[in-house]
RNA sequence: GGCGAGAUAGCUCAGCAGGUUAGAGCGCAUGAUUCAUAAUCAUGAGGUCCCCGGUUCAAGUCCGGGUCUCGCUACCA
């Protein structure tokens, strides 16, 4: 299909924290490369993003800090917006879901579906806090987990045993707002009957979009094969887009219903022509997301669009996997991350180094790891040594031999022709990779042009030839300069800042994507500018500093974990006297298979040897604990755990 | 517990309508070179293609079972 225009969206970052390298590698860098590529080709493209500012976690953070939810989202919206901009993520608009346009758009969207009778209304019992005068979101209820008896389990999940729960399952539930025991009360919500759209979704995804990435396709298939269920699209909460229906006071749209509509409202805010981008079959819509968002962008949002009528559906949803940091999962709450705003401060002028590293190591097919050693190596061995070096050689020699003027070439030799042929094939290779959302491959192909340049210079040796054959030298330099100029366009989607610098050096502002492969980008007689270094080395000190920073985080986390708070309810002295606590030595330990947290240990208690299972495997390896002394409650009744 | 995705050289990854000695980049070793930010170029070493079975003349490549990692999801499947 020949598309007239492109609408590219990046997942809306949740405005309860700053953006980190995981977000960048997963979503913003690939989408930005794709968009810059399309713009280079002269396509009509709109690149949409914004802050996702509703939902329960933001209200919890606000409560914790004693400020309003709006204050929280204002803080992170501004921070992330400016960070993206400084990092060269070239959104056409970076909007936000707390603004007026969005509230109207999302409200209207709901109302439209409501009036069409698309929703199923259902009344159910939920916990209500009388004193606070509101229904409690799952996250606002704590209680005892029915599976592991952990007393601080949340209404939606027990952090101790990992089970996901519903608030009704909790034993002794209490409200986090007031500490009271909530009461059950009836409430009405609207459900999107996804089950009714199954047929349409099956055909659209499973038959018409077999080209989607295997992780995306596989997960959609899994959902469809399992059978879809109606999904609530409203919540009892006072932060969000109010449900525009009479009698729905105190209810807002579920954040996952309202957030993707943010793509639409942002487009509306950007251009009065927004409908062309959302409702014309000639528009290609692509959602860039992380793998945790697949179901919302492939099942739920498309269902909403489909039932609203005359909206187009995404042509592709290239979801990336996750990026780890130095071998550990990135975690906002544990501060295990490289934050974009901090990187920008600590590595001024090195935006492209991070962009390059994240692209070269993008988690396209599986989770990948970011390490500072890799960052340094990519910079020093690739950006500096291959790309920066080649360009520098070509430009410096031109200044030396021809005073900065592009020389008139003589006839090409067979070797020149071979080199030129390879050069001319590179554009198609990069395009093919980008058209299929294979960014690592595209970058590798693009870098091959710089490699080709280095090889060409090494083989032709102009610094020797110049002493004997002036005409030949002119040709060699001419070819090298064309390649340098082509690089300034070819590299732009990946490393825009450096490409711009290079473009200024070769002094050819008007070059376009279509020029790549041509041999007349810089004409004889054209003056180039002074050669400056495109990249500089990252030294060991910089790397050591970043490692130190992470080590500090690790230590701080450990210290915080060591801060034990009384986490269980008070017990009577009589209960205490019943317990026989002794010091035992761990003789042997092994991980319990198929579990994340369980460690099985043999402990010598002094009176016997017994097998004990404890949920500490995330913090200790079996080797760590063997030989250690632990206190053990020896008269605890035996229980069967996982056989 | 169910489902999905991944597991290939020290590292990051390609390969797969099944077919001769399994590829690339980086790292490493050796040599060449000096225009260039000790940058480049050439050559080479290095792999039981996660494990166990099976189909086949032939299997990283297909099928069954298992292990590990990540994600989604669940008092059912």
């Amino acid at each position: 299909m020949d598309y007239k225009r492109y609408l590219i969206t990046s997942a809306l970052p949740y405005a309860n924290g700053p953006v980190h390298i995981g977000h960048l590698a997963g979503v913003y860098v690939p989408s930005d490369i794709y968009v810059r590529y399309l713009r280079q080709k002269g396509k009509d493209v709109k690149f949409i993003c914004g802050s996702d500012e509703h939902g329960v976690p933001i209200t919890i953070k606000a409560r914790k800090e004693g400020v309003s939810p709006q204050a929280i989202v204002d803080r992170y919206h501004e921070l992330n917006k400016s960070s993206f901009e400084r990092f060269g993520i070239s959104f056409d608009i970076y909007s936000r879901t707390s603004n007026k346009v969005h509230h109207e758009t999302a409200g209207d969207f709901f109302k439209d579906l409501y009036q069409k009778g698309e929703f199923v209304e259902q009344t159910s019992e939920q916990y209500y806090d009388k004193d606070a005068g509101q229904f409690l979101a799952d996250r606002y209820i704590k209680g005892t987990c029915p599976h592991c008896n952990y007393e601080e389990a949340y209404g939606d999940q027990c952090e101790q045993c990992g089970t996901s729960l519903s608030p009704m399952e909790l034993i002794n539930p209490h409200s986090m707002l007031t500490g009271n025991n909530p009461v059950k009360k009836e409430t009405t919500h609207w459900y999107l009957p996804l089950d009714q759209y199954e047929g349409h979704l099956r055909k659209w995804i499973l038959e018409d979009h077999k080209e989607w990435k295997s992780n995306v396709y596989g997960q959609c298939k899994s959902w469809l094969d399992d059978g879809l269920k109606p999904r609530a699209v409203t919540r009892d909460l006072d932060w969000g887009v109010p449900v525009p229906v009479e009698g729905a006071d105190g209810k807002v749209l579920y954040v996952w219903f309202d957030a993707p509509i943010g793509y639409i409202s942002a487009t509306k805010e950007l251009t009065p022509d927004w409908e062309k981008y959302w409702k014309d079959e000639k528009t290609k819509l692509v959602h860039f997301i992380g793998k945790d968002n697949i179901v919302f962008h492939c099942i739920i949002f498309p269902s909403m669009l489909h039932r609203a009528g005359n909206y187009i559906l995404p042509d592709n949803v290239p979801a990336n996997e996750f990026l780890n940091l130095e071998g550990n999962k990135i975690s906002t709450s544990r501060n295990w991350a490289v934050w974009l705003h901090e990187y920008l401060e600590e590595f001024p002028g090195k935006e492209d180094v991070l962009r390059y590293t994240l692209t070269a190591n993008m988690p396209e097919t599986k989770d990948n790891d970011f390490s500072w050693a890799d960052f340094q190596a990519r910079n020093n061995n690739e950006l500096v040594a291959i790309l920066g070096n080649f360009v520098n050689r070509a430009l410096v020699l031109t200044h030396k031999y021809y005073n900065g003027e592009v020389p008139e070439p003589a006839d090409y030799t067979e070797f020149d022709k071979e080199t030129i042929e390879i050069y001319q094939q590179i554009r198609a290779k990069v395009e093919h990779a980008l058209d299929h959302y294979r960014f690592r491959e595209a970058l590798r192909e693009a870098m091959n042009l710089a490699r080709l340049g280095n090889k060409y210079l090494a083989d032709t040796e102009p610094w020797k030839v110049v002493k004997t054959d002036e005409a030949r030298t002119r040709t060699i330099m001419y070819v090298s300069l064309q390649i340098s100029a082509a690089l300034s366009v070819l590299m732009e989607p990946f490393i825009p800042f450096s490409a711009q610098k290079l473009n200024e050096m070769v002094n050819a502002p008007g070059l376009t994507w279509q020029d790549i492969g041509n041999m007349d980008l810089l004409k004889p007689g054209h003056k180039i500018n002074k050669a400056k270094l495109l990249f500089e080395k990252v030294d060991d000190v910089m790397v050591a500093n970043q490692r130190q920073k992470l080590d500090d985080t690790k230590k701080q986390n450990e210290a915080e974990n060591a801060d034990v708070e009384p986490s269980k309810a008070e017990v009577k002295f009589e209960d205490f006297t019943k317990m026989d606590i002794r010091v035992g030595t761990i003789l042997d330990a092994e991980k319990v298979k198929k579990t994340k947290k369980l460690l099985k240990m043999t402990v010598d208690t002094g009176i016997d040897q017994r097998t004990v299972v404890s949920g500490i495997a995330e913090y200790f390896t079996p080797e760590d604990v063997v030989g250690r002394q632990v206190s053990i409650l020896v008269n605890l009744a035996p229980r069967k755990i996982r056989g």
Side-chain angles (χ1 to χ4, degrees):
Chain A
M1 176 129 155
D2 214 11
Y3 291 103
K4 263 191 183 158
R5 65 188 81 75
Y6 294 77
L7 180 62
I8 312 301
T9 72
S10 291
L12 307 185
Y14 197 54
N16 74 336
V19 164
H20 56 60
I21 55 171
H23 300 124
L24 295 175
V27 178
Y28 306 104
V29 169
S31 55
D32 189 59
I33 292 170
Y34 191 69
V35 165
R36 285 175 181 272
Y37 160 63
L38 292 175
R39 289 202 193 106
Q40 284 273 21
K41 287 177 80 170
K43 303 290 184 189
D44 176 357
V45 46
K46 296 280 183 261
F47 187 19
I48 305 293
C49 197
S51 297
D52 173 13
E53 307 187 311
H54 295 139
V56 176
I58 282 171
T59 66
I60 291 181
K61 195 176 175 79
R63 182 173 297 275
K64 236 180 224 165
E65 295 188 16
V67 299
S68 69
Q70 190 66 48
I72 298 282
V73 301
D74 284 350
R75 182 197 309 159
Y76 291 112
H77 174 75
E78 291 309 325
L79 177 66
N80 290 336
K81 185 179 182 189
S82 71
S83 300
F84 279 135
E85 205 174 306
R86 289 165 67 194
F87 194 54
I89 304 295
S90 58
F91 299 128
D92 288 300
I93 182 165
Y94 188 80
S95 186
R96 56 192 309 186
T97 60
S98 67
N99 72 14
K100 194 164 162 255
V101 182
H102 177 69
H103 274 238
E104 285 169 7
T105 308
D108 289 348
F109 200 102
F110 181 92
K111 206 189 279 174
D112 176 50
L113 288 177
Y114 178 80
Q115 282 163 357
K116 284 180 178 151
E118 286 292 334
F119 295 122
V120 175
E121 233 176 281
Q122 207 171 303
T123 301
S124 63
E125 284 196 322
Q126 297 204 352
Y127 279 122
Y128 183 82
D129 186 326
K130 275 189 201 159
D131 295 317
Q134 60 173 272
F135 281 96
L136 295 168
D138 295 355
R139 277 264 144 181
Y140 273 142
I141 305 170
K142 274 191 175 181
T144 303
C145 172
H147 299 277
C148 69
N149 292 320
Y150 179 58
E151 299 186 7
E152 297 288 310
Y154 288 105
D156 57 347
Q157 193 186 27
C158 171
E159 309 260 282
Q160 178 99 349
C161 65
T163 323
S164 46
L165 304 167
S166 102
M168 297 296 162
E169 294 177 77
L170 288 179
I171 301 161
N172 184 29
H174 51 274
S175 162
M176 284 170 68
L177 300 180
T178 60
N180 298 338
N181 291 334
V183 297
K184 289 179 186 174
K185 190 173 164 182
E186 291 212 323
T187 179
T188 301
H189 283 288
W190 288 273
Y191 290 71
L192 194 63
L194 294 174
D195 47 317
Q196 291 176 21
Y197 315 146
E198 236 178 87
H200 170 258
L201 288 168
R202 286 195 87 88
K203 180 180 182 307
W204 174 60
I205 299 173
L206 301 184
E207 288 175 33
D208 299 346
H209 285 294
K210 290 189 200 284
E211 82 283 7
W212 284 6
K213 288 174 69 166
S214 59
N215 56 344
V216 177
Y217 188 90
Q219 200 178 328
C220 291
K221 185 168 185 327
S222 156
W223 270 72
L224 290 167
D225 287 348
D226 285 355
L228 300 174
K229 291 181 201 109
R231 204 161 169 121
V233 297
T234 54
R235 287 286 189 276
D236 289 299
L237 195 70
D238 58 2
W239 177 245
V241 178
V243 175
V245 171
E246 240 178 87
D249 297 339
K251 295 183 197 296
V252 297
L253 302 183
Y254 179 37
V255 64
W256 265 111
F257 183 87
D258 111 68
I261 297 174
Y263 298 139
I264 302 174
S265 23
T267 316
K268 228 180 212 181
E269 201 180 326
L270 174 66
T271 166
D273 274 345
W274 70 274
E275 284 181 294
K276 277 199 328 207
Y277 291 89
W278 280 98
K279 299 186 175 177
D280 182 346
E281 287 295 333
K282 291 268 164 134
T283 299
K284 178 165 173 171
L285 171 62
V286 180
H287 295 308
F288 282 84
I289 57 166
K291 66 173 162 182
D292 52 338
N293 277 185
I294 290 172
V295 60
F296 294 102
H297 286 81
C298 298
I299 306 268
I300 300 176
F301 188 46
S303 294
M304 291 161 54
L305 293 173
H306 176 236
R307 298 315 297 176
N310 66 41
Y311 278 91
I312 54 167
L313 300 184
D315 178 74
N316 209 322
V317 185
N320 271 340
E321 303 282 307
F322 284 174
L323 189 70
N324 293 325
L325 170 59
E326 299 283 359
N328 291 305
K329 254 200 251 191
I330 292 179
S331 160
T332 299
S333 58
R334 287 188 297 121
N335 192 30
W336 190 256
V338 176
W339 304 104
L340 176 57
H341 65 287
E342 292 185 1
Y343 177 89
L344 291 167
E345 291 303 320
E346 290 164 24
F347 293 89
K350 291 198 186 307
E351 298 83 5
D352 282 345
V353 180
L354 185 58
R355 289 179 65 114
Y356 181 87
T357 306
L358 294 177
T359 307
N361 197 18
M362 193 174 278
E364 288 178 337
T365 50
K366 62 159 198 182
D367 291 359
N368 272 348
D369 193 45
F370 175 94
S371 71
W372 285 106
D374 184 59
F375 173 86
Q376 182 185 31
R378 296 270 183 205
N379 180 75
N380 295 357
N381 305 330
E382 298 179 31
L383 286 177
V384 172
I386 296 169
L387 177 57
N389 186 228
F390 164 67
V391 168
N392 193 237
R393 299 169 84 182
L395 299 196
V396 165
L397 286 176
T398 302
H399 279 289
K400 204 171 195 173
Y401 302 155
Y402 304 110
N403 208 13
E405 204 168 284
V406 178
E408 181 85 42
D411 291 339
Y412 294 138
T413 63
E414 273 314 304
F415 182 75
D416 292 342
K417 286 178 189 160
E418 282 166 29
T419 300
I420 291 167
E421 203 186 319
I422 298 172
Y423 154 58
Q424 287 172 334
Q425 288 163 356
I426 284 180
R427 188 179 101 196
K429 287 183 179 170
V430 173
E431 287 181 357
H432 186 260
L434 288 176
D435 287 339
H436 292 85
Y437 311 103
R438 295 201 288 258
F439 299 97
R440 286 185 310 215
E441 184 185 329
L443 181 59
R444 213 178 320 127
E445 290 295 350
M447 283 299 281
N448 278 343
L449 184 54
R451 290 195 178 91
L452 181 73
N454 276 321
K455 182 171 158 50
Y456 180 74
L457 284 179
D459 288 345
T460 54
E461 302 182 299
W463 48 91
K464 277 187 188 165
V465 175
V466 71
K467 294 171 191 157
T468 57
D469 190 342
E470 200 269 336
R472 178 72 192 129
T473 312
R474 289 201 315 264
T475 313
I476 295 169
M477 292 321 301
Y478 184 82
V479 172
S480 304
L481 285 168
Q482 302 311 318
I483 292 178
S484 301
L487 279 168
S488 79
V489 187
L490 187 66
M491 296 308 293
E492 193 273 343
F494 307 97
I495 46 172
F497 297 93
S498 310
Q500 176 61 28
K501 259 164 87 178
L502 173 55
N503 193 259
E504 280 162 21
M505 282 189 248
V506 297
N507 189 24
L511 295 180
T512 70
W513 190 260
Q514 281 71 22
D515 289 319
I516 302 166
N518 292 343
M519 285 304 289
D520 59 350
L521 280 67
L522 305 177
K523 308 246 175 3
H526 173 89
K527 285 286 276 187
I528 60 167
N529 289 318
K530 211 176 144 214
K532 286 178 276 182
L533 295 180
L534 271 185
F535 305 99
E536 50 189 37
K537 293 210 159 195
V538 168
D539 60 35
D540 294 342
V541 177
M542 292 166 112
V543 171
N545 285 342
Q546 291 302 322
R547 286 237 186 84
Q548 185 60 49
K549 208 171 146 185
L550 288 172
D551 275 348
D552 292 347
T553 298
K554 217 173 221 170
K555 278 185 196 130
Q556 197 178 341
N557 284 339
E558 278 166 15
E560 276 168 18
N561 282 340
D563 269 2
V564 274
E565 302 170 23
S567 60
K568 308 222 169 170
E570 225 173 62
V571 293
K572 299 253 163 54
F573 183 70
E574 298 83 75
D575 295 325
F576 174 68
T577 58
K578 291 179 199 160
M579 295 188 276
D580 184 356
I581 299 175
R582 300 181 182 227
V583 173
T585 307
I586 298 175
L587 300 176
D588 191 25
E590 60 173 290
K591 217 174 155 223
V592 180
K593 290 188 175 172
K594 290 193 179 184
T595 65
K596 278 186 211 162
K597 302 178 179 173
L598 296 185
L599 218 50
K600 182 171 123 187
M601 292 161 286
T602 307
V603 182
D604 184 344
T605 61
I607 48 177
D608 61 4
Q609 287 189 7
R610 62 178 69 188
T611 301
V612 177
V613 174
S614 178
I616 56 173
E618 284 184 310
Y619 314 104
F620 299 97
T621 66
E623 295 76 54
D624 288 339
V625 298
V626 171
R628 286 215 201 183
Q629 301 217 312
V630 290
S631 53
I632 177 167
L633 181 61
V634 293
N635 59 343
L636 181 68
R639 257 214 308 181
K640 203 160 183 161
I641 299 174
R642 293 200 150 268

